[in-house]
Amino acid sequence: MGYVKELFRSKADIQSAEIKNILEQHGNKKVSDVVLSQVYQGMRGIPGLVTETSLLDPNEGIRFRGYSIPELRERLPKADGGSEPLPEGLFYLMLIGELPNQADVEHISATWARRSHVPNHVFDVIESFPVSTHPMTQFTAAVLALQTESKFASAYSNGISKKDHWSYVYEDTMTLIARLPRVAAYIYRRKYRNGVHIQPDGMLDWSANFGHMLGYDGEGFKELMRLYLTIHADHEGGNVSAHATHLVGSALSDPYFSFAAGMTGLAGPLHGLANQEVIRWIEDMCKELDTNLPTKEQIAEYIHKTLSEGKVVPGYGHAVLRKTDPRFIAQMEFAKRHCADDPTVQTVWNVYEVTPPILEATGKIKNPWPNVDAHSGALLKHYGLVEEDFYTVLFGVSRALGVLSSLCWDRALGLPIERPKSVTTEWVRSFIGSEEPVA
Ligand code: CMX
């Protein structure tokens, strides 16, 4: 057993014992009151699951094991000559609960590089799709094709003790994360670069190697990838991709099945696909106005038009956040250092000035501020990655770090199958004491 796995096991053993005590002593303590509007409207604000890896504060934003994004940018180990955190370090932090040192991060990097070989049948599955197929469809199918390698699935069918589930889930997690950049880069090069593929470079860190396989070897892009793959990794447990992964995993579906479920959720335009939608929205606006730098007045008018057509302004709003997303701010800071003159970046900043008061004035949008997706596309575009259909795949590669480290915790803590109660409107009528439909 590698030392990270052993460390994880010892941390999980301690935490399992603590949770047992908590439940014995406080299991009947009331956590919240639930009102009918929450039942109908997406279960907002109901604390209904435990996710150890990160916690979201509506005003402050995300903290990973207690560390904010600015703190992580300072304190996580960096690549030689780089100034952005290595996502390997964030994975270690989410899994173990402590900041890693340089050697820990190098160990994770080396483990992933060693396990990164993708079996040929996965490429065959990708090749079986028409090239025009959306990259998220190809990506999700490729994750399912990788499932043939699941150590958890084969161990389970051979008969293993519940106590050992975590160990196989851990192995699948490490292998799946190791292989995702190669799979994603293959889809990119197939769809947008005439199938001319680039072999991995095992000497590079996970993000730099991903950039290399995509065809972007410049230092700026590698730094962007390190930041991007860090900040998109986790957003506590209730968001669609994290929750879907956790839910499916609770049936003891293996990490490949569970992650594929998370990715089909990430592919929705109200969640991860919003990064694609933001760039499309900006490009449509620029095309309509015949400019690459619309004025603030023109942007305001375009927002009103979007709202009047019954559409959402992509990249704005959030189910939990009530302030500007610190992931947006981290990208804005990166852009200020690397590409402040880029017209799309400037448009994103102008949209940021104009949008919140307009959304606020509608009186119904609870959070008028930008989320992570409002900025990411402009940065990718700046470095030449202009194919916006691919953006959600990048999000997905990053999201694997959070949802799969969480899945290791789920199995190590022996969390049961998830099965909330649902009710019917007929049940609600009788609950509120009405025999007829409420007029
Ligand atoms: N533009 C226009 N209308 C918006 C809006 C936006 N950006 N954000 C919310 N609204 C609307 C909702 O559609 C809802 O309208 P109805 O009452 O007519 O149905 C109303 O405002 C209230 O919604 P809310 O409670 O403020 O927001 P929700 O928690 O229901 O939804 C979210 C959150 C993210 C789905 C929503 O803000 C949205 O659709 N934003 C645009 C898409 C987006 O950027 N998604 C990415 C989120 C981050 C991520 O997961 O990656």
Side-chain angles (χ1 to χ4, degrees):
M1 202 190 290
Y3 80 90
V4 176
K5 188 173 181 184
E6 228 165 292
L7 192 55
F8 171 66
R9 183 195 172 142
S10 67
K11 297 270 175 193
D13 283 349
I14 295 168
Q15 187 124 334
S16 290
E18 189 197 347
I19 291 170
K20 200 164 159 249
N21 294 338
I22 291 174
L23 292 179
E24 266 170 23
Q25 294 167 38
H26 305 281
N28 289 326
K29 240 185 194 149
K30 197 164 167 183
V31 178
S32 75
D33 288 318
V34 177
V35 296
L36 261 184
S37 61
Q38 289 172 295
V39 174
Y40 271 104
Q41 292 170 337
M43 300 191 279
R44 289 294 182 286
I46 305 175
L49 53 146
V50 170
T51 303
E52 306 288 0
T53 46
S54 64
L55 188 67
L56 183 57
D57 179 90
N59 295 309
E60 263 205 358
I62 192 70
R63 279 185 182 268
F64 302 87
R65 296 285 192 174
Y67 294 97
S68 67
I69 286 177
E71 285 164 355
L72 288 185
R73 284 179 93 185
E74 220 180 285
R75 299 183 66 170
L76 281 180
K78 321 263 185 312
D80 252 358
S83 59
E84 296 300 340
L86 287 165
E88 289 92 325
L90 177 65
F91 175 77
Y92 181 100
L93 174 68
M94 289 189 290
L95 188 74
I96 302 296
E98 288 166 13
L99 284 172
N101 59 33
Q102 201 73 33
D104 298 325
V105 163
E106 280 163 20
H107 174 81
I108 302 263
S109 241
T111 307
W112 290 348
R114 241 189 352 265
R115 293 191 184 201
S116 63
H117 176 76
V118 173
N120 276 337
H121 75 271
V122 177
F123 299 128
D124 292 343
V125 166
I126 296 170
E127 291 291 345
S128 72
F129 283 101
V131 176
S132 59
T133 308
H134 194 280
M136 277 306 278
T137 314
Q138 300 190 43
F139 185 60
T140 310
V143 171
L144 284 176
L146 280 166
Q147 190 274 343
T148 55
E149 304 280 298
S150 173
K151 296 269 188 279
F152 178 84
S154 64
Y156 194 89
S157 78
N158 290 334
I160 43 165
S161 158
K162 236 180 174 174
K163 287 199 313 291
D164 297 327
H165 287 173
W166 73 273
S167 172
Y168 296 94
V169 166
Y170 179 93
E171 293 303 332
D172 280 356
T173 289
M174 295 304 267
T175 303
L176 176 51
I177 292 174
R179 294 177 178 179
L180 288 176
R182 174 86 168 112
V183 164
Y186 190 94
I187 293 166
Y188 182 77
R189 302 288 305 181
R190 171 177 188 254
K191 190 166 165 74
Y192 308 112
R193 296 292 182 273
N194 299 317
V196 180
H197 297 290
I198 300 172
Q199 290 304 309
D201 178 346
M203 301 307 287
L204 296 173
D205 59 85
W206 191 65
S207 317
N209 186 37
F210 187 20
H212 163 72
M213 289 187 286
L214 288 167
Y216 300 90
D217 278 306
E219 272 316 305
F221 189 79
K222 286 178 184 163
E223 280 286 90
L224 174 62
M225 277 295 94
R226 292 173 187 132
L227 176 67
Y228 186 106
L229 296 173
T230 297
I231 62 176
H232 287 79
D234 209 31
H235 219 220
E236 73 171 33
N239 68 80
V240 172
S241 53
H243 193 186
T245 305
H246 164 80
L247 169 67
V248 172
S250 82
L252 298 187
S253 304
D254 63 55
Y256 296 86
F257 282 132
S258 308
F259 180 63
M263 289 303 96
T264 55
L266 194 75
L270 298 189
H271 189 20
L273 202 79
N275 56 10
Q276 159 190 308
E277 297 300 299
V278 166
I279 281 296
R280 285 205 180 148
W281 183 85
I282 289 177
E283 284 178 352
D284 287 350
M285 169 172 63
C286 290
K287 205 163 147 203
E288 196 171 304
L289 299 166
D290 197 22
T291 171
N292 68 352
L293 196 56
T295 64
K296 288 176 195 164
E297 292 70 31
Q298 286 175 314
I299 293 171
E301 211 170 299
Y302 198 76
I303 293 167
H304 284 297
K305 178 171 172 267
T306 303
L307 294 175
S308 71
E309 288 167 350
K311 298 177 193 163
V312 296
V313 178
Y316 282 76
H318 201 273
V320 179
L321 281 171
R322 293 296 175 258
K323 288 269 167 67
T324 297
D325 191 335
R327 302 172 298 175
F328 178 91
I329 292 168
Q331 294 179 92
M332 195 170 175
E333 284 169 5
F334 184 96
K336 280 183 184 158
R337 272 214 313 279
H338 295 272
C339 48
D341 294 337
D342 184 293
T344 311
V345 166
Q346 288 185 357
T347 300
V348 164
W349 296 347
N350 288 336
V351 172
Y352 179 33
E353 275 189 44
V354 171
T355 307
I358 299 177
L359 295 186
E360 199 143 39
T362 65
K364 69 167 186 180
I365 298 169
K366 295 190 191 70
N367 174 32
W369 302 102
N371 58 57
V372 66
D373 301 310
H375 210 310
S376 54
L379 287 169
L380 294 164
K381 214 179 142 198
H382 173 77
Y383 288 101
L385 208 164
V386 296
E387 300 88 357
E388 73 269 2
D389 299 23
F390 190 72
Y391 292 171
T392 311
V393 174
L394 295 173
F395 194 158
V397 171
S398 171
R399 190 42 63 102
L401 304 180
V403 301
L404 291 173
S405 52
S406 274
L407 203 63
C408 290
W409 273 99
D410 291 350
R411 295 293 74 77
L413 299 177
L415 299 186
I417 191 163
E418 191 171 294
R419 187 24 175 118
K421 175 85 187 97
S422 74
V423 294
T424 60
T425 298
E426 195 180 355
W427 179 94
V428 170
R429 264 185 230 120
S430 98
F431 170 74
I432 59 179
S434 169
E435 275 165 26
E436 299 295 322
V438 178

